Amino acid sequence: SNPTWANHKNIFEDAGMKVEEYRYWNPSSKSLDISGMLDDLRNAPEGSIILLHACAHNPTGVDPTSHQWHQVAQIVRENKLLPFFDVAYQGFATGDLDRDAYVPRLFKDMNIELVAAQSFAKNLGLYSERIGTLQFFLADGETASRVQSQCKRIGRAIYSNPPAHGARVVAEVLLDEQLRNEWEREIKTMASRILEVRSALSKCLYDLAPEGDWNYITEQKGMFTYTGLTEKQVGYLRDHYHIYMMKSGRISMAGLPTSKVEYLAKAILDVIRNVQ
């Protein structure tokens, strides 16, 4: 998608693939460009791999609605595209693991072959372990056998034997009912806190500038807010307010203390009004 996680392009180009972008972000409305997205998917060559964010899109925080996902799935099936899901933030969009897994499961229920790369870096706090899963939903056993054979071959060439520590931690949590329940509660706590910070920032901006449209802050999901600020405005925030975010205007809501919400809101209004 345009935009997407910066490393996506590197990963696929290093694998020898040609990378094209499909429209996703509408900067004027700070929302999803669904018509552009659907048009670009319709025009993608048959057999193309389409990278999709399962939930909490990085960097925009903008996810399609259930109806829009059905539209995407229909085009993917009709045009014989292969969806590749990046599942990096399961649980961080809504606080519910099952709700955040809705999209890959929708495609599976529609009998669409797919690939899903799932990370436990964020939702299990195992960032340095680089632990996750690579899952395939395929049409038949023969195809599955071929894919498994190729995955083993690739894995053997890359790392021979994978590190086990992170995988054992994940298995311990997922297979123990008490630990899993505790983990799910902690995910809900984190997701709820992010939602509360979003709501507080939006309310503060409306209190200070009721003429503005700040709904996008609460409509976006996950750890990040895509502010729509320019690189120049981001630099001004850094130099004058010591507020740090990506040059693209993406800011981490998870790293925003409640006590600093008003400070951030006033700084954002300053740069919007005075820095062009």
Side-chain angles (χ1 to χ4, degrees), residues 12-81:
F12 288 97
E13 286 185 340
D14 281 356
M17 305 181 77
K18 180 183 178 182
V19 176
E20 300 285 352
E21 295 179 332
Y22 57 85
R23 284 170 285 177
Y24 194 86
W25 169 254
N26 184 333
S28 60
S29 63
K30 297 184 179 66
S31 64
L32 178 66
D33 180 4
I34 186 61
S35 60
M37 179 183 183
L38 296 178
D39 283 345
D40 288 346
L41 294 183
R42 288 189 190 96
N43 292 322
E46 181 179 317
S48 295
I49 299 171
I50 307 299
L51 182 66
L52 299 165
H53 300 233
C55 66
H57 182 274
N58 181 10
T60 69
V62 174
D63 290 342
T65 65
S66 174
H67 172 68
Q68 290 167 342
W69 274 122
H70 274 85
Q71 291 178 293
V72 171
Q74 191 67 29
I75 292 172
V76 165
R77 182 165 61 183
E78 290 174 356
N79 290 21
K80 299 179 180 178
L81 309 174

Coordinates of all heavy atoms in Angstrom, one line a residue, residues 12-81:
F12 N 10.8 -7.4 -0.1 CA 10.4 -8.1 -1.3 C 11.4 -7.8 -2.5 O 11.6 -8.7 -3.3 CB 9.0 -7.6 -1.7 CG 7.9 -8.2 -0.7 CD1 7.5 -7.6 0.3 CD2 7.5 -9.5 -1.0 CE1 6.5 -8.1 1.2 CE2 6.6 -10.1 -0.1 CZ 6.1 -9.4 1.0
E13 N 12.0 -6.6 -2.5 CA 13.0 -6.4 -3.6 C 14.2 -7.2 -3.4 O 14.8 -7.7 -4.3 CB 13.3 -4.9 -3.6 CG 12.2 -4.0 -4.2 CD 12.6 -2.6 -4.3 OE1 13.6 -2.2 -3.6 OE2 12.0 -1.9 -5.1
D14 N 14.6 -7.5 -2.1 CA 15.7 -8.3 -1.9 C 15.5 -9.8 -2.2 O 16.4 -10.6 -2.5 CB 16.1 -8.3 -0.4 CG 16.9 -7.0 -0.1 OD1 17.2 -6.2 -1.0 OD2 17.3 -6.8 1.1
A15 N 14.2 -10.1 -2.3 CA 13.8 -11.5 -2.7 C 13.7 -11.6 -4.3 O 13.2 -12.6 -4.8 CB 12.4 -11.9 -2.1
G16 N 14.0 -10.4 -4.9 CA 14.0 -10.4 -6.4 C 12.7 -10.1 -7.0 O 12.5 -10.4 -8.2
M17 N 11.8 -9.5 -6.3 CA 10.4 -9.3 -6.8 C 10.3 -7.8 -7.2 O 10.9 -6.9 -6.6 CB 9.4 -9.6 -5.7 CG 9.5 -11.0 -5.2 SD 8.2 -11.4 -4.0 CE 6.8 -11.7 -5.0
K18 N 9.5 -7.5 -8.2 CA 9.2 -6.2 -8.6 C 8.0 -5.7 -7.7 O 7.0 -6.3 -7.6 CB 8.7 -6.1 -10.1 CG 8.4 -4.7 -10.6 CD 7.9 -4.8 -12.0 CE 7.5 -3.4 -12.5 NZ 7.0 -3.4 -13.9
V19 N 8.2 -4.5 -7.1 CA 7.3 -4.0 -6.2 C 6.5 -2.8 -6.8 O 7.1 -1.8 -7.3 CB 8.0 -3.5 -4.8 CG1 7.0 -2.9 -3.9 CG2 8.6 -4.7 -4.2
E20 N 5.2 -2.8 -6.7 CA 4.3 -1.7 -7.1 C 3.5 -1.4 -5.9 O 3.2 -2.2 -5.1 CB 3.5 -2.1 -8.3 CG 4.2 -2.5 -9.6 CD 4.9 -1.3 -10.3 OE1 4.6 -0.2 -9.9 OE2 5.6 -1.5 -11.2
E21 N 3.0 -0.1 -5.9 CA 2.1 0.3 -4.8 C 0.7 0.5 -5.3 O 0.4 0.8 -6.4 CB 2.6 1.7 -4.3 CG 4.0 1.6 -3.6 CD 4.5 2.9 -3.1 OE1 4.1 4.0 -3.7 OE2 5.2 3.0 -2.1
Y22 N -0.2 0.2 -4.4 CA -1.6 0.5 -4.7 C -2.1 1.7 -3.7 O -1.5 1.8 -2.6 CB -2.6 -0.7 -4.5 CG -2.5 -1.4 -3.1 CD1 -3.3 -0.9 -2.1 CD2 -1.7 -2.5 -2.9 CE1 -3.3 -1.5 -0.8 CE2 -1.7 -3.1 -1.6 CZ -2.5 -2.6 -0.6 OH -2.5 -3.2 0.6
R23 N -3.0 2.5 -4.2 CA -3.4 3.6 -3.4 C -4.1 3.2 -2.2 O -4.8 2.2 -2.1 CB -4.4 4.5 -4.3 CG -3.7 5.3 -5.3 CD -4.7 5.9 -6.3 NE -5.2 5.0 -7.3 CZ -6.1 5.2 -8.2 NH1 -6.7 6.4 -8.2 NH2 -6.5 4.3 -9.0
Y24 N -3.9 3.9 -1.1 CA -4.5 3.6 0.2 C -4.9 4.8 1.0 O -6.0 4.9 1.5 CB -3.5 2.7 1.0 CG -4.1 2.0 2.2 CD1 -4.7 0.8 2.1 CD2 -4.0 2.6 3.5 CE1 -5.2 0.1 3.1 CE2 -4.6 2.0 4.5 CZ -5.2 0.7 4.4 OH -5.8 0.1 5.5
W25 N -4.0 5.7 1.2 CA -4.2 6.9 2.1 C -4.7 8.1 1.3 O -4.1 8.5 0.3 CB -2.9 7.2 2.8 CG -2.8 8.5 3.6 CD1 -2.1 9.6 3.2 CD2 -3.4 8.8 4.8 NE1 -2.3 10.6 4.2 CE2 -3.0 10.1 5.2 CE3 -4.2 8.0 5.7 CZ2 -3.4 10.7 6.4 CZ3 -4.6 8.6 6.9 CH2 -4.2 9.9 7.2
N26 N -5.7 8.7 1.8 CA -6.2 10.0 1.2 C -5.8 11.1 2.1 O -6.4 11.3 3.2 CB -7.8 9.9 1.1 CG -8.3 11.2 0.4 OD1 -7.7 12.2 0.5 ND2 -9.5 11.0 -0.2
P27 N -4.8 11.9 1.8 CA -4.3 12.9 2.7 C -5.2 14.0 3.0 O -5.2 14.6 4.1 CB -3.0 13.4 2.0 CG -3.2 13.1 0.6 CD -4.0 11.8 0.6
S28 N -6.1 14.3 2.1 CA -7.0 15.5 2.3 C -8.1 15.1 3.3 O -8.5 16.0 4.2 CB -7.7 15.9 1.0 OG -8.4 14.8 0.4
S29 N -8.6 13.9 3.3 CA -9.6 13.5 4.3 C -9.0 12.7 5.5 O -9.7 12.4 6.4 CB -10.6 12.6 3.6 OG -10.1 11.4 3.1
K30 N -7.7 12.4 5.4 CA -7.0 11.6 6.4 C -7.7 10.3 6.6 O -8.0 9.8 7.8 CB -6.8 12.3 7.7 CG -6.0 13.6 7.6 CD -5.8 14.2 9.0 CE -4.9 15.5 8.9 NZ -5.5 16.6 8.1
S31 N -8.1 9.6 5.5 CA -8.9 8.4 5.6 C -8.5 7.5 4.5 O -7.6 7.8 3.7 CB -10.4 8.7 5.5 OG -10.7 9.3 4.3
L32 N -9.1 6.3 4.4 CA -8.8 5.4 3.3 C -9.3 5.8 2.0 O -10.5 6.3 1.8 CB -9.5 4.0 3.7 CG -9.4 2.9 2.7 CD1 -7.9 2.4 2.6 CD2 -10.3 1.7 3.1
D33 N -8.5 5.7 1.0 CA -8.9 5.9 -0.4 C -9.4 4.6 -1.0 O -8.7 3.9 -1.7 CB -7.6 6.5 -1.2 CG -8.0 6.7 -2.7 OD1 -9.2 6.6 -3.1 OD2 -7.0 7.1 -3.4
I34 N -10.6 4.2 -0.6 CA -11.1 2.9 -1.0 C -11.3 2.8 -2.5 O -11.0 1.7 -3.1 CB -12.4 2.5 -0.2 CG1 -12.8 1.1 -0.5 CG2 -13.5 3.5 -0.5 CD1 -11.8 0.1 -0.1
S35 N -11.7 3.8 -3.1 CA -12.0 3.7 -4.6 C -10.6 3.5 -5.3 O -10.5 2.7 -6.2 CB -12.7 5.0 -5.1 OG -11.9 6.1 -4.9
G36 N -9.6 4.3 -4.9 CA -8.3 4.1 -5.5 C -7.7 2.8 -5.3 O -7.1 2.1 -6.1
M37 N -7.9 2.3 -4.0 CA -7.4 0.9 -3.7 C -8.0 -0.1 -4.5 O -7.4 -1.0 -5.1 CB -7.7 0.7 -2.2 CG -7.2 -0.7 -1.7 SD -7.6 -1.0 0.0 CE -6.9 -2.6 0.3
L38 N -9.4 -0.1 -4.6 CA -10.1 -1.1 -5.4 C -9.7 -1.0 -6.9 O -9.6 -2.1 -7.6 CB -11.6 -1.0 -5.2 CG -12.1 -1.2 -3.8 CD1 -13.6 -1.0 -3.7 CD2 -11.8 -2.6 -3.3
D39 N -9.6 0.2 -7.4 CA -9.2 0.3 -8.8 C -7.8 -0.3 -9.1 O -7.6 -1.0 -10.1 CB -9.2 1.8 -9.2 CG -10.6 2.3 -9.4 OD1 -11.6 1.5 -9.6 OD2 -10.8 3.6 -9.5
D40 N -6.9 0.0 -8.2 CA -5.5 -0.5 -8.4 C -5.5 -2.0 -8.3 O -4.8 -2.7 -9.1 CB -4.6 0.1 -7.4 CG -4.3 1.6 -7.8 OD1 -4.6 2.0 -8.9 OD2 -3.8 2.3 -6.9
L41 N -6.3 -2.6 -7.4 CA -6.3 -4.1 -7.3 C -7.0 -4.7 -8.5 O -6.5 -5.7 -9.0 CB -7.1 -4.5 -6.0 CG -6.5 -4.1 -4.7 CD1 -7.3 -4.6 -3.5 CD2 -5.0 -4.6 -4.6
R42 N -8.0 -4.0 -9.1 CA -8.6 -4.6 -10.3 C -7.6 -4.6 -11.4 O -7.7 -5.5 -12.3 CB -9.8 -3.7 -10.7 CG -11.0 -3.8 -9.8 CD -12.2 -3.1 -10.4 NE -13.3 -3.1 -9.4 CZ -13.6 -2.0 -8.7 NH1 -12.8 -0.9 -8.7 NH2 -14.6 -2.0 -7.8
N43 N -6.7 -3.6 -11.5 CA -5.8 -3.5 -12.6 C -4.5 -4.3 -12.3 O -3.6 -4.3 -13.2 CB -5.4 -2.0 -12.8 CG -6.7 -1.3 -13.3 OD1 -7.4 -1.8 -14.2 ND2 -6.8 0.0 -12.9
A44 N -4.3 -4.9 -11.2 CA -3.1 -5.7 -10.9 C -3.1 -6.9 -11.8 O -4.1 -7.6 -12.0 CB -3.1 -6.1 -9.5
P45 N -1.9 -7.3 -12.3 CA -1.9 -8.5 -13.2 C -2.3 -9.8 -12.5 O -2.1 -9.9 -11.2 CB -0.4 -8.6 -13.6 CG 0.1 -7.2 -13.3 CD -0.6 -6.6 -12.2
E46 N -2.9 -10.7 -13.2 CA -3.3 -11.9 -12.6 C -2.1 -12.6 -11.9 O -1.1 -12.7 -12.5 CB -4.0 -12.8 -13.6 CG -4.5 -14.2 -13.1 CD -5.1 -15.0 -14.2 OE1 -5.9 -14.4 -15.0 OE2 -4.8 -16.2 -14.3
G47 N -2.3 -13.2 -10.7 CA -1.3 -13.9 -10.1 C -0.4 -13.0 -9.2 O 0.5 -13.5 -8.5
S48 N -0.7 -11.7 -9.2 CA 0.1 -10.8 -8.3 C -0.1 -11.1 -6.9 O -1.2 -11.5 -6.4 CB -0.3 -9.3 -8.6 OG 0.0 -8.9 -9.9
I49 N 1.0 -10.9 -6.1 CA 0.9 -11.0 -4.6 C 0.5 -9.6 -4.1 O 1.2 -8.7 -4.4 CB 2.2 -11.5 -4.0 CG1 2.6 -12.9 -4.6 CG2 2.2 -11.5 -2.5 CD1 4.0 -13.3 -4.2
I50 N -0.6 -9.6 -3.3 CA -1.0 -8.3 -2.7 C -0.8 -8.3 -1.2 O -1.4 -9.1 -0.5 CB -2.5 -8.1 -3.0 CG1 -2.9 -8.3 -4.5 CG2 -3.0 -6.8 -2.5 CD1 -2.2 -7.3 -5.4
L51 N 0.1 -7.4 -0.8 CA 0.4 -7.3 0.6 C -0.7 -6.5 1.3 O -0.9 -5.4 0.9 CB 1.8 -6.7 0.8 CG 2.2 -6.6 2.3 CD1 2.5 -7.9 2.9 CD2 3.5 -5.7 2.4
L52 N -1.3 -7.1 2.3 CA -2.4 -6.4 3.0 C -2.1 -6.5 4.5 O -1.5 -7.4 5.0 CB -3.7 -7.2 2.8 CG -4.2 -7.2 1.4 CD1 -5.3 -8.2 1.2 CD2 -4.7 -5.8 0.9
H53 N -2.4 -5.4 5.2 CA -2.3 -5.3 6.7 C -3.5 -5.9 7.3 O -4.6 -5.3 7.1 CB -2.0 -3.9 7.1 CG -0.8 -3.3 6.6 ND1 0.2 -2.7 7.3 CD2 -0.4 -3.1 5.3 CE1 1.1 -2.2 6.6 NE2 0.8 -2.5 5.3
A54 N -3.4 -6.9 8.1 CA -4.6 -7.6 8.7 C -5.4 -6.6 9.6 O -6.6 -6.7 9.7 CB -4.2 -8.8 9.4
C55 N -4.7 -5.8 10.4 CA -5.4 -4.8 11.2 C -4.3 -3.8 11.7 O -3.1 -4.0 11.6 CB -6.0 -5.5 12.5 SG -4.7 -6.2 13.6
A56 N -4.8 -2.6 12.1 CA -4.0 -1.6 12.6 C -2.9 -1.2 11.6 O -1.7 -1.4 11.9 CB -3.3 -1.9 14.0
H57 N -3.3 -0.8 10.4 CA -2.4 -0.5 9.3 C -1.3 0.4 9.8 O -1.4 1.4 10.4 CB -3.2 0.2 8.2 CG -2.4 0.5 7.0 ND1 -1.6 1.6 6.9 CD2 -2.2 -0.2 5.8 CE1 -1.0 1.6 5.7 NE2 -1.3 0.5 5.0
N58 N 0.0 0.0 9.4 CA 1.2 0.7 9.7 C 1.7 1.4 8.4 O 2.0 0.6 7.4 CB 2.2 -0.2 10.3 CG 3.5 0.5 10.6 OD1 3.6 1.7 10.6 ND2 4.6 -0.3 10.9
P59 N 1.7 2.7 8.3 CA 1.8 3.7 9.4 C 0.5 4.4 9.6 O 0.4 5.2 10.6 CB 2.8 4.6 8.9 CG 2.6 4.7 7.4 CD 2.2 3.3 7.0
T60 N -0.6 4.2 8.9 CA -1.7 5.2 8.9 C -2.7 4.9 10.0 O -3.4 5.8 10.4 CB -2.5 5.2 7.6 OG1 -3.2 3.9 7.4 CG2 -1.6 5.4 6.4
G61 N -2.8 3.7 10.5 CA -3.8 3.3 11.5 C -5.2 3.2 10.9 O -6.2 3.1 11.6
V62 N -5.3 3.4 9.6 CA -6.6 3.3 8.9 C -6.9 1.9 8.3 O -6.1 1.4 7.5 CB -6.6 4.3 7.7 CG1 -7.9 4.2 6.9 CG2 -6.5 5.8 8.2
D63 N -7.9 1.3 8.8 CA -8.3 0.0 8.3 C -9.6 0.0 7.5 O -10.5 0.8 7.9 CB -8.5 -1.0 9.5 CG -7.3 -1.3 10.2 OD1 -6.2 -1.1 9.6 OD2 -7.3 -1.8 11.4
P64 N -9.8 -0.8 6.5 CA -11.0 -0.9 5.8 C -12.1 -1.4 6.7 O -11.9 -2.1 7.7 CB -10.8 -1.9 4.6 CG -9.3 -1.8 4.4 CD -8.7 -1.6 5.8
T65 N -13.4 -1.0 6.4 CA -14.5 -1.6 7.1 C -14.8 -3.0 6.7 O -14.2 -3.5 5.7 CB -15.8 -0.7 6.9 OG1 -16.1 -0.9 5.5 CG2 -15.6 0.7 7.2
S66 N -15.7 -3.7 7.4 CA -16.0 -5.0 7.1 C -16.5 -5.1 5.6 O -16.1 -6.0 4.8 CB -17.1 -5.6 8.0 OG -17.5 -6.9 7.6
H67 N -17.4 -4.2 5.2 CA -17.9 -4.2 3.9 C -16.8 -3.9 2.9 O -16.8 -4.6 1.8 CB -19.0 -3.1 3.8 CG -19.5 -2.8 2.3 ND1 -20.2 -3.8 1.6 CD2 -19.3 -1.8 1.5 CE1 -20.5 -3.3 0.4 NE2 -19.9 -2.1 0.3
Q68 N -15.9 -3.0 3.2 CA -14.8 -2.8 2.2 C -13.9 -4.0 2.1 O -13.4 -4.3 1.0 CB -14.0 -1.5 2.7 CG -14.8 -0.2 2.6 CD -14.2 0.9 3.3 OE1 -13.4 0.8 4.2 NE2 -14.6 2.2 2.9
W69 N -13.7 -4.7 3.2 CA -12.8 -5.9 3.1 C -13.5 -7.0 2.2 O -12.8 -7.7 1.5 CB -12.6 -6.5 4.5 CG -11.4 -5.9 5.2 CD1 -11.4 -5.3 6.4 CD2 -10.0 -5.9 4.8 NE1 -10.1 -4.9 6.8 CE2 -9.3 -5.2 5.8 CE3 -9.4 -6.4 3.6 CZ2 -7.9 -5.0 5.6 CZ3 -8.0 -6.2 3.5 CH2 -7.3 -5.5 4.5
H70 N -14.8 -7.0 2.3 CA -15.5 -8.0 1.4 C -15.3 -7.6 -0.1 O -15.1 -8.4 -0.9 CB -17.0 -8.0 1.7 CG -17.4 -8.9 2.8 ND1 -17.3 -8.6 4.1 CD2 -17.9 -10.2 2.7 CE1 -17.7 -9.7 4.8 NE2 -18.1 -10.7 4.0
Q71 N -15.3 -6.3 -0.3 CA -15.0 -5.8 -1.7 C -13.6 -6.2 -2.1 O -13.4 -6.6 -3.3 CB -15.2 -4.3 -1.8 CG -16.6 -3.8 -1.6 CD -16.7 -2.2 -1.6 OE1 -16.2 -1.6 -0.7 NE2 -17.3 -1.7 -2.7
V72 N -12.7 -6.0 -1.3 CA -11.3 -6.3 -1.6 C -11.2 -7.8 -1.8 O -10.6 -8.3 -2.8 CB -10.3 -5.9 -0.4 CG1 -8.9 -6.5 -0.6 CG2 -10.3 -4.4 -0.3
A73 N -11.8 -8.6 -1.0 CA -11.7 -10.1 -1.1 C -12.3 -10.5 -2.4 O -11.8 -11.5 -3.1 CB -12.4 -10.8 0.0
Q74 N -13.4 -9.9 -2.8 CA -14.1 -10.3 -4.1 C -13.2 -10.0 -5.3 O -13.1 -10.9 -6.2 CB -15.4 -9.5 -4.2 CG -16.3 -10.0 -5.3 CD -16.9 -11.4 -5.1 OE1 -17.0 -11.8 -3.9 NE2 -17.1 -12.1 -6.1
I75 N -12.5 -8.9 -5.3 CA -11.6 -8.6 -6.4 C -10.4 -9.5 -6.4 O -10.0 -10.0 -7.5 CB -11.1 -7.1 -6.3 CG1 -12.3 -6.1 -6.5 CG2 -10.0 -6.8 -7.3 CD1 -12.0 -4.7 -6.2
V76 N -9.9 -9.8 -5.2 CA -8.8 -10.7 -5.1 C -9.1 -12.1 -5.7 O -8.4 -12.7 -6.4 CB -8.3 -10.9 -3.6 CG1 -7.4 -12.1 -3.5 CG2 -7.6 -9.6 -3.2
R77 N -10.3 -12.6 -5.4 CA -10.8 -13.9 -5.9 C -11.0 -13.8 -7.4 O -10.6 -14.7 -8.1 CB -12.0 -14.3 -5.1 CG -12.5 -15.7 -5.6 CD -13.5 -16.3 -4.6 NE -14.7 -15.5 -4.5 CZ -15.7 -15.7 -3.6 NH1 -15.6 -16.8 -2.8 NH2 -16.8 -15.0 -3.6
E78 N -11.7 -12.8 -7.9 CA -12.1 -12.7 -9.3 C -10.8 -12.5 -10.1 O -10.7 -13.1 -11.3 CB -13.0 -11.6 -9.5 CG -14.4 -11.8 -8.9 CD -15.3 -10.6 -9.1 OE1 -14.8 -9.5 -9.5 OE2 -16.5 -10.7 -8.7
N79 N -9.8 -11.8 -9.7 CA -8.6 -11.5 -10.5 C -7.5 -12.5 -10.2 O -6.4 -12.3 -10.7 CB -8.1 -10.1 -10.2 CG -9.1 -9.0 -10.8 OD1 -10.2 -9.3 -11.0 ND2 -8.6 -7.8 -11.0
K80 N -7.8 -13.5 -9.4 CA -6.8 -14.6 -9.1 C -5.5 -14.0 -8.6 O -4.4 -14.3 -9.0 CB -6.5 -15.4 -10.3 CG -7.8 -16.1 -10.8 CD -7.5 -17.0 -12.1 CE -8.8 -17.7 -12.5 NZ -8.6 -18.4 -13.8
L81 N -5.7 -13.1 -7.5 CA -4.5 -12.5 -6.8 C -4.2 -13.4 -5.6 O -5.1 -14.1 -5.1 CB -4.8 -11.1 -6.5 CG -5.3 -10.2 -7.6 CD1 -5.7 -8.8 -7.0 CD2 -4.3 -10.0 -8.7

